[in-house]
Amino acid sequence: MKVCIGLSGGVDSSVAALLLKQQGYDVFAMFMQNWHDADATLHGDCEWEEDRFVAEMVARKIGIPFYFIDLSKEYRQRVVDYMFNEYSEGRTPNPDVLCNREIKFDAFLEAAEKLGADMVATGHYCRKEPLLDSEGKQVIIDGQPQWRILEGVDPNKDQSYFLCQLGQGQLAKAMFPIGGLTKPEVRRIAHEADLPSADKKDSQGICFVGKVDLPTFLKQKLLPKQGDVVEVFDAFYASSPDYGFAVSTLSSILKTPGKPQMICAYSSEDSGGASFNNVSIEGATRSEGNEYDEEKIRTLSDETLERLSRPLDYGSIKFETETYRSGKKHIRKTRYKDNPYGKIVGQHDGAQFYTIGQRKGLNIGGHKDSIFVISTDTERNIIYVGEGHTHKGLSRCCIRIGNRDIHWIRQDLEMKDGEIRSCRVRVRYRQPLQDALLTKRPNGLFIIFKKPQRGISNGQFAVWYSSDGEMLGSGAI
């Protein structure tokens, strides 16, 4: 069997290539260039050239043919243009997910097949297995053998999330040689084989673009425009009909009557789950999350679920001006009247450059705790912020995936209208899997989390898994 390995110059794809060669496959390597413009990258214009040089040395060391392909046109059309469009609409896209669906397992696969490849391999930390029936035979649907895709065995490096939009046709052609290894094991194999990439640091930033300053990158197409930064006070939620609706609706579907937990306890995904202490959490009696009654969820109307899933709208916070006289000369000036629900605390250069949960780059002082973006309004060019990790605007309990955006990796697992299923869900890479109930309705797939989730933005991909680690499906929020 002839296998094309996507060789990036990193240690993961290098070890994947080595393992394939050792297993007796007819292997060749292909390095793809997907980006030319280095204006927004933080490492200068030679980063991809260095990666290519290392990749070529790795191929030479292993003893496999090496090819180069330029897919920058396809990447710009299918990934970068999508990014610009999503940010301009106030959504937060994931270009790496699109890169795998549209480039690595589409345009790159097509190029590899022209060179005679039967399969394409990558250095992703995930596993692929055949779907077997009760007799141990591979399941075939519509003439196509079915495959399962599972988390990688290394919980710190699992990359199945980035492959959440692949279909069965793409999986049939895919190989993931290092999915059963941990990162330390991969490093050890690379050192033992004296591979040139053995000590190379993991790549960061946008897939095949590199680490970038995102606002600078987006300003290539999206024009800066000054607007207000509005801080939202806690009083807003006490008077918000939509927030009150969410509290009452979630309360109505609890197994045990009471007040639902509405705020997520902060936990750093990059520090082993270290969380803060001595902080009062709303719904603290349910600190382990909300236990919902599936039968009560069935009684909710489609319209109720859709309203529950919507992010809060802060457009009702208005600011009126008043004139006053200042100083000995009584100079007439204008100021905003005090508003119990919020305050204009600064200026920004474009709502499209900010994402939910962001705290860097706001340049807002005078607060005891950190300030976070809780909402963006690209139409009126306003960003809304809140103070502290437990600000109510950072948490959401329910999200919706539109019918057009629902993607099932296996057709046999597709949910029918009215069905409720318990799954584990993540909405970003490296996020620990979260317990949730999925309910399918004619107006979409709704995900109700046991614990409120922090910093969710429309446009992100929600990915759901079974209890044994199989990735089942995904969709853009």
Side-chain angles (χ1 to χ4, degrees):
M1 180 184 294
K2 195 167 187 177
V3 180
C4 173
I5 174 72
L7 202 58
S8 66
V11 66
D12 298 330
S13 62
S14 300
V15 171
L18 176 66
L19 294 178
L20 290 169
K21 181 69 182 296
Q22 292 176 343
Q23 291 164 9
Y25 291 102
D26 180 6
V27 187
F28 69 92
M30 192 155 63
F31 178 95
M32 57 180 151
Q33 181 186 4
N34 285 356
W35 193 248
H36 289 287
D37 189 352
D39 290 344
T41 60
L42 300 182
H43 298 296
D45 59 1
C46 60
E47 187 174 10
W48 75 267
E49 294 177 353
E50 179 185 343
D51 290 340
R52 176 182 175 176
F53 177 71
V54 175
E56 199 162 0
M57 287 197 300
V58 169
R60 190 179 302 117
K61 177 73 175 181
I62 297 173
I64 58 177
F66 178 87
Y67 297 91
F68 171 84
I69 184 171
D70 187 341
L71 295 176
S72 56
K73 179 180 178 181
E74 291 84 350
Y75 186 82
R76 181 176 286 278
Q77 291 175 343
R78 301 194 199 181
V79 179
V80 176
D81 287 350
Y82 150 83
M83 274 186 62
F84 284 128
N85 182 67
E86 288 290 282
Y87 275 109
S88 69
E89 296 294 329
R91 296 187 290 266
T92 302
N94 190 308
D96 290 353
V97 170
L98 266 292
C99 180
N100 284 305
R101 187 185 76 184
E102 300 291 334
I103 305 298
K104 289 181 184 175
F105 294 97
D106 193 298
F108 181 85
L109 171 60
E110 184 179 341
E113 288 179 326
K114 289 180 180 178
L115 292 174
D118 301 300
M119 305 283 284
V120 162
T122 67
H124 283 100
Y125 286 85
C126 66
R127 294 170 291 155
K128 168 188 164 184
E129 293 180 356
L131 175 62
L132 305 177
D133 60 19
S134 57
E135 298 179 354
K137 297 179 181 179
Q138 188 167 9
V139 175
I140 297 177
I141 298 178
D142 296 332
Q144 187 174 54
Q146 298 296 292
W147 300 91
R148 305 172 73 217
I149 185 166
L150 299 98
E151 295 178 281
V153 298
D154 189 338
N156 294 317
K157 286 297 294 182
D158 168 52
Q159 294 174 317
S160 57
Y161 179 88
F162 294 129
L163 304 170
C164 67
Q165 287 281 294
L166 297 190
Q168 285 294 319
Q170 293 169 306
L171 281 177
K173 296 282 188 177
M175 298 179 73
F176 309 108
I178 66 170
L181 302 174
T182 65
K183 186 73 176 192
E185 288 174 325
V186 167
R187 289 283 185 193
R188 176 183 56 78
I189 292 171
H191 278 289
E192 289 176 352
D194 196 26
L195 296 181
S197 58
D199 292 315
K200 198 169 187 294
K201 293 182 179 179
D202 291 346
S203 61
Q204 294 181 326
I206 301 172
C207 180
F208 289 103
V209 174
K211 194 169 184 179
V212 301
D213 178 72
L214 188 58
T216 302
F217 183 78
L218 294 176
K219 285 174 184 176
Q220 293 179 90
K221 277 197 174 182
L222 306 181
L223 296 177
K225 183 181 178 182
Q226 192 175 72
D228 291 331
V229 178
V230 175
E231 181 179 355
V232 179
F233 300 147
D234 195 63
F236 169 82
Y237 301 93
S239 63
S240 168
D242 288 332
Y243 192 80
F245 171 82
V247 173
S248 62
T249 301
L250 292 171
S251 178
S252 73
I253 59 175
L254 290 172
K255 283 186 177 180
T256 304
K259 191 174 183 180
Q261 182 184 346
M262 296 294 293
I263 301 173
C264 59
Y266 172 67
S267 178
S268 171
E269 294 164 17
D270 297 320
S271 59
S275 59
F276 58 81
N277 298 308
N278 302 319
V279 177
S280 177
I281 301 294
E282 182 176 340
T285 55
R286 303 181 187 276
S287 59
E288 294 303 314
N290 301 312
E291 292 290 344
Y292 296 112
D293 187 321
E294 292 189 19
E295 292 307 312
K296 292 180 179 179
I297 292 176
R298 294 183 199 281
T299 65
L300 298 180
S301 68
D302 299 345
E303 293 74 21
T304 294
L305 278 170
E306 184 157 359
R307 183 180 177 186
L308 181 65
S309 70
R310 292 178 199 148
L312 288 174
D313 182 0
Y314 297 96
S316 61
I317 302 177
K318 306 292 185 181
F319 297 98
E320 298 179 357
T321 59
E322 62 181 1
T323 57
Y324 68 101
R325 295 186 180 277
S326 175
K328 294 180 179 179
K329 296 183 178 181
H330 301 288
I331 299 173
R332 184 183 294 271
K333 293 185 177 181
T334 302
R335 64 187 174 193
Y336 287 108
K337 293 181 180 179
D338 288 341
N339 187 320
Y341 302 140
K343 180 181 180 180
I344 297 176
V345 292
Q347 298 288 303
H348 63 80
D349 58 0
Q352 67 271 26
F353 301 133
Y354 297 84
T355 58
I356 310 300
Q358 177 179 338
R359 66 176 175 178
K360 294 182 179 179
L362 294 173
N363 299 317
I364 298 172
H367 292 77
K368 178 182 177 181
D369 295 320
S370 298
I371 297 294
F372 298 88
V373 175
I374 60 172
S375 180
T376 63
D377 185 335
T378 55
E379 288 189 12
R380 296 189 301 146
N381 198 34
I382 299 173
I383 65 171
Y384 297 92
V385 301
E387 180 179 7
H389 289 288
T390 58
H391 192 279
K392 291 182 175 67
L394 279 174
S395 301
R396 287 175 68 180
C397 295
C398 178
I399 58 176
R400 170 181 170 269
I401 312 295
N403 285 318
R404 293 188 306 171
D405 295 319
I406 301 172
H407 172 73
W408 291 97
I409 294 171
R410 285 169 44 192
Q411 295 180 24
D412 60 306
L413 294 177
E414 185 173 344
M415 292 176 66
K416 297 178 175 59
D417 288 346
E419 184 180 351
I420 297 177
R421 186 179 298 173
S422 179
C423 288
R424 307 188 74 196
V425 182
R426 61 167 50 104
V427 295
R428 62 180 67 87
Y429 173 54
R430 289 183 63 84
Q431 181 194 28
L433 288 170
Q434 306 292 308
D435 293 326
L437 289 173
L438 277 61
T439 177
K440 179 67 179 70
R441 297 295 179 92
N443 55 337
L445 178 68
F446 295 89
I447 301 176
I448 304 175
F449 292 98
K450 178 179 179 181
K451 294 182 179 181
Q453 296 300 298
R454 172 190 177 87
I456 293 179
S457 176
N458 287 350
Q460 286 178 285
F461 282 95
V463 184
W464 46 94
Y465 296 74
S466 66
S467 58
D468 67 350
E470 180 180 3
M471 187 166 60
L472 309 178
S474 67
I477 299 168

